[in-house]
Amino acid sequence: MALYEALYGRKCPSLVCWAEVGEKSILGPEIIQETNEKVKMIQDNLKKAQDRPKNYADKRRRPLDFEVGDHVYLKVTPRLRLGGLFKTRKLSPRYVGPYQILQKFVPDAFHPIILNSVVVELDLSYDPQPCRILEHASKSLRTKEIPLVKVQWDETRPEEATWELESEMRESYPHLFW
């Protein structure tokens, strides 16, 4: 006796034959039709099960409606090209702004969008530019001294400044050092 049969008390149904135990076997196009119906039923049940959490979330979600004069933030992914030992993206800003809505925008494929201060890529990422260096420090690692600088990036407050390697900042942005 198979484990399934011992556990459930009946033979295990297979894709070859969906019929109940004891029925006469179906041959030819009937078995294909019955199998297709069962597969369709399984797909429908899976779809219902996947839609249940979405329906629940949609009931709690409210549509966003903006008016002229409102202030909004733009969600972006900063792409810092600085590598190094102390680089982390965990605390990098995820929103830029606020931007004031000046007028309603009707999407048009031939209408170019020009942003003044932030250049946003198609994948909603941007390269933040440093505006000034706030502080100098050095980190001691056994026999090495690693010089660091605290950099304030554009569109951020001074509290959101990050520590970067001084050598990489000098290479990438020499205009910040005088």
Side-chain angles (χ1 to χ4, degrees), residues 12-24:
C12 179
S14 67
L15 290 176
V16 176
C17 184
W18 292 95
E20 291 294 322
V21 177
E23 292 182 13
K24 63 178 184 174

Side-chain angles (χ1 to χ4, degrees), residues 1-12 21:
M1 179 183 294
L3 291 175
Y4 185 92
E5 190 175 348
L7 183 62
Y8 294 107
R10 58 187 165 93
K11 293 214 180 276
C12 179
V21 177

Side-chain angles (χ1 to χ4, degrees), residues 18-55:
W18 292 95
E20 291 294 322
V21 177
E23 292 182 13
K24 63 178 184 174
S25 62
I26 305 171
L27 299 175
E30 294 89 17
I31 194 169
I32 295 172
Q33 181 180 357
E34 186 176 340
T35 304
N36 287 339
E37 289 171 3
K38 295 292 184 176
V39 168
K40 180 69 174 153
M41 182 187 72
I42 292 170
Q43 288 174 342
D44 291 342
N45 289 343
L46 282 173
K47 178 79 170 124
K48 286 178 192 173
Q50 291 170 348
D51 286 345
R52 229 175 269 130
K54 183 187 181 313
N55 290 337

